[in-house]
Amino acid sequence: MRIEFDNAFLRDLPGDPETGPRVREVLGAAWSRVDPTPVAAPRLLAASPEAARLLGLDAATAFADPDFARVFGGNALLPGMQPWAANYGGHQFGSWAGQLGDGRAISLGEALGGEGGRWELQLKGAGKTPYSRFADGRAVLRSSVREFLCSEAMHHLGIPTTRALSLVGTGEDVVRDMFYDGHPRPEPGAVVCRMAPTFLRFGSWQLPASRGDTALLRALADYAQRHHFPGLAGRGAEGDAEWFAQVCERTARMVAGWMRVGFVHGVMNTDNMSILGLTIDYGPYGWVEDYDPDWTPNTTDAQGRRYRFGTQPQVAYWNLVQLAHALAPLFDGVAPLEAGLERYRQAWDAAWRELVARKLGLAACGEADLRLFADLQALLQDGQVDMTLFFRALGERDAAAPDLLPFEAAFYDADARARIEAPLRDWLARHAARQADDPLEAVQRRDSMRRANPLYVLRNWLAQEAIDRAGQGDTGGIAELLDVMRRPYEEQPGRAHYAGARPEWARHRAGCSMLSCSS
Ligand code: AMP
Ligand code: MG
């Protein structure tokens, strides 16, 4: 297995003079050198051929190589790997948390990909680092399966995301108190190798800003622009302004992707916001089933519900405002930062209109269509209707026959259904009338709606079924789910199970409707 590395992150940015995992405050440095802690018995449980290809690897050969599990379980290094943990801070649930850093993520190096890209390879769950604070640096199988699958599922849905190369079982147990209720128990451990051009986060800038370290702030901005924002490096103040604006724009597009498919991130702390506008740090995320903008899967956030589905666009904006505060020392006045934030508002507005048009099967979204969509949202919520199944059926139904038959599978509750039946029929008639004077041809419309409204999403209980099987030693469920999620917009014969509404058993089961940060 040959991968070429060019670790510009270490070369361009100042590092911590101390190496190794002793827990400490790290000042004036973007990274600390630390090696993964070897695990007892690394075993490859799943891998993504598409991700391997990005590294120029032949997937079949690479995955069969016994070194693969050793390297991506943290027991061996390839030539050119120089492992490090990154230093960053962040706002957690609205409060400044100070230095956080990669407490259990260790980057192995920046791989030069087959197609000219740069891919930072990072092991999650690879052992202690200077940023582990009180914790063990490890990850459990259940959360690793979820991160592995969702990274690839989001990619195939067309939503910007970090990627996942591999899932390696460690052969070691990790002790977790899943609901923080005083019942810790051992669970199997795992390591995911994830990939992104860079894992820099808003918090990477917030930490030096909080310490008045403008030199590091500048160096981080230069690194990001030089390697990850083509055409911006060396343009001075104007390049900086455009850089922040592009971060805002990418963030808007990412969140619009989430809103389109019903994804709830669950922990939108500023240390979990990628500077590239990628979905990052899959933890207690979830997928909306019965439509509810107030839903969050994260039990740790159950009180304040800061990160519920419907508020994600506002939270992203709040996070960008924090980033703007952090970057302020690099700018001469606040005007360029305000212009960047304005770019977010514009990009969000455009992305939302595009979402409405695509989900409803219209060529474009006007003012009245925004109302049409809002009225539908209210009905779906009131009627507890499955978001994914509803929109998919909306594109498949015969608009001339306004009955509810195509939506049968999307209802969870008879009373809720009865409540909205009549208004939903009215709404469907309004929608049909609106489509009738829209320029899209019927075939075009159906295609466009199919591409906007996935049939398969990584429903929490589907991931949980795969996790349960993996816990019994059967990784077949992970492989099958990965395969289903490869083509989320195409109907796949024999796979109706994966396009089903939430079964009753999953309603209150841990891992399905409730998830904690314990991972
Ligand atoms: P998260 O909520 O997963 O984004 O994590 C927030 C912070 O806690 C990050 O700095 C993580 O690196 C750290 N962290 C989470 N779990 C662990 C763990 N098991 N060991 C060490 N650090 C952890
Ligand atoms: Mg995180």
Side-chain angles (χ1 to χ4, degrees), residues 88 201 271-272 281:
Y88 54 81
R201 303 119 194 283
D271 55 305
N272 292 341
D281 274 7

Side-chain angles (χ1 to χ4, degrees), residues 357-375:
R358 290 179 62 201
K359 285 193 87 70
L360 296 184
L362 306 172
C365 165
E367 291 310 311
D369 301 322
L370 292 174
R371 275 193 301 283
L372 187 66
F373 195 76
D375 291 346

